[in-house]
Amino acid sequence: MAKRGLTYAQAGVDIDAGNRLVDLIKPLVRATARPGADAEIGGFGGLFDLRRAGFKDPVLVAGTDGVGTKVKIAIETGIHDTIGIDLVAMSVNDLVVQGAEPLFFLDYFACGKLHPRVGASIVAGVAKGCKQSGCALIGGETAEMPGLYKAGDYDLAGFAVGAVERNSVLPRRDIRAGDIMLGIASSGVHSNGFSLARKVVQKSRLKWNAPAPFDKKRKLGEAMLTPTRLYVKSCLAAIHETGAVKALAHITGGGFPDNIPRVLPKGLGVRLDLARVAVLPVFQWLARTGGIAEKEMLRTFNCGVGMIAVVDPRKADKVAAVLTREGETVMRLGELIVAKKSAPRVSYTGRLDI
């Protein structure tokens, strides 16, 4: 009797599980359909029709990102339904800072062993993030890689494409000293700084299922997994309705000092009043428990401000009013100044409430 040869399943890859996952997520994907995309999956590539989306002279904007070691908390807590929102937010928030409307999104999900229900929960979060930001989920990839990932481990990557009319690309060229800088509140730690945040949790000796010291209504793991806020619809509303938004900066890794200068012209800096930052309780707890200095907090975390807007000073109140109407909490943090050659481009007055 001939010996039976090895199979892919014996090597740890279950093609049938992948097909079950596709069947589970098809309704989730269809729910993200928008003009320009029917949001069907199963082909070799996703299609998008720019003409149907209503653009006349568009410039495409692309972005890609992951969720960092925040994914470890999702794995360790078994809470998988929000990490997909983070994945979308990290890319589409980068698109809107260019003035772009997100059009479509693709995800990459790699794991040691595919559990279709876990995968579907993750993609449900991706679909929710896409729907909230107005972009279609038109494709993705699931990779089962035993030997590279442990059985319960997985990682995520996302890729988004948006478009903006050529004459509306941000940052604008008329940014000047005296322009006002508005801060838009974050929802929490978002998806940056989790290697340090997890160190603080380790130092505290708290378990993920313990009550969060900064939020008694939730467990620590659930609170730390609060999804990254999606700023797309509110920022696009402010851009289109006021004509006064000159630049946006997504506050991710590097915080204020590294991200704000990316949207400023040479020769300009900003003076921020840290006392006006509405520091969220989670950051106060991280700083105090970890003994983290203010300078380190400012460069590692968003500290309560997830997006910065540079606006015309004559219309700053109007921009703030539109953002507030759209559900955002807005802080007037400072103004642009002429930068001295020897000085940092981001300078501070006041102190963070940590």
Side-chain angles (χ1 to χ4, degrees):
M1 184 175 178
K3 292 183 178 179
R4 294 181 63 187
L6 286 172
T7 66
Y8 211 5
Q10 289 173 326
V13 179
D14 188 344
I15 294 175
D16 291 332
N19 291 334
R20 287 197 298 274
L21 174 60
V22 171
D23 289 338
L24 287 171
I25 66 176
K26 276 186 176 181
L28 303 171
V29 172
R30 289 191 191 107
T32 70
R34 54 151 293 156
D38 58 14
E40 280 290 336
I41 58 170
F44 286 95
L47 302 177
F48 193 93
D49 187 339
L50 271 173
R51 185 177 296 175
R52 279 186 56 208
F55 288 91
K56 297 177 181 177
D57 185 22
V59 174
L60 293 178
V61 184
T64 185
D65 210 337
V67 295
T69 60
K70 188 174 187 176
V71 75
K72 283 290 289 181
I73 303 177
I75 293 167
E76 290 170 5
T77 60
I79 301 172
H80 307 289
D81 60 343
T82 58
I83 200 75
I85 300 174
D86 290 289
L87 185 66
V88 175
M90 293 305 291
S91 285
V92 298
N93 285 343
D94 280 352
L95 299 188
V96 78
V97 302
Q98 308 281 170
E101 172 191 340
L103 302 177
F104 58 86
F105 187 85
L106 299 98
D107 68 290
Y108 176 77
F109 170 47
C111 60
K113 180 173 178 56
L114 180 59
H115 299 281
R117 293 289 175 185
V118 171
S121 185
I122 294 167
V123 176
V126 173
K128 186 174 182 180
C130 286
K131 198 167 183 180
Q132 289 179 2
S133 54
C135 64
L137 178 57
I138 64 170
E141 175 67 14
T142 301
E144 194 172 18
M145 296 189 284
L148 185 59
Y149 295 93
K150 289 187 291 186
D153 284 350
Y154 62 81
D155 198 10
L156 302 169
F159 177 80
V161 171
V164 55
E165 296 293 355
R166 193 176 302 273
N167 60 0
S168 299
V169 175
L170 297 182
R172 286 175 12 189
R173 295 182 179 180
D174 61 342
I175 299 173
R176 56 176 58 92
D179 285 343
I180 298 298
M181 189 154 282
L182 300 177
I184 309 173
S186 68
S187 56
V189 185
H190 284 184
S191 297
N192 295 101
F194 271 93
S195 293
L196 179 55
R198 287 168 48 246
K199 277 281 188 185
V200 174
V201 172
Q202 185 179 20
K203 182 180 179 181
S204 76
R205 298 188 177 181
L206 290 172
K207 302 296 184 184
W208 294 124
N209 61 358
F214 50 88
D215 184 352
K216 299 298 184 182
K217 295 180 180 179
R218 295 193 290 173
K219 304 283 176 113
L220 178 59
E222 179 191 0
M224 293 295 283
L225 285 170
T226 300
T228 304
R229 189 163 182 83
L230 290 152
Y231 297 104
V232 171
K233 291 190 175 180
S234 60
C235 285
L236 287 178
I239 291 168
H240 296 150
E241 293 181 32
T242 71
V245 178
K246 297 185 177 184
L248 293 167
H250 186 197
I251 306 303
T252 55
F256 292 161
D258 286 2
N259 287 294
I260 293 174
R262 295 168 68 181
V263 301
L264 300 181
K266 290 182 179 180
L268 289 183
V270 60
R271 183 186 294 114
L272 297 179
D273 183 355
L274 295 179
R276 295 187 178 186
V277 175
V279 180
L280 297 175
V282 61
F283 297 111
Q284 294 172 331
W285 180 76
L286 288 169
R288 293 167 186 169
T289 306
I292 306 171
E294 181 182 82
K295 184 177 180 181
E296 188 70 17
M297 290 293 296
L298 286 167
R299 201 172 185 199
T300 305
F301 300 111
N302 67 65
C303 294
V305 179
M307 186 71 76
I308 289 282
V310 177
V311 303
D312 185 322
R314 296 166 297 180
K315 295 184 178 180
D317 289 342
K318 185 176 181 181
V319 174
V322 173
L323 291 169
T324 301
R325 184 200 72 204
E326 293 296 314
E328 306 292 1
T329 299
V330 182
M331 299 156 254
R332 190 160 173 151
L333 297 180
E335 66 177 13
L336 270 59
I337 59 174
V338 176
K340 296 179 180 179
K341 290 184 179 179
S342 59
R345 296 185 72 189
V346 179
S347 60
Y348 308 107
T349 60
R351 300 295 301 271
L352 277 180
D353 179 21
I354 55 174

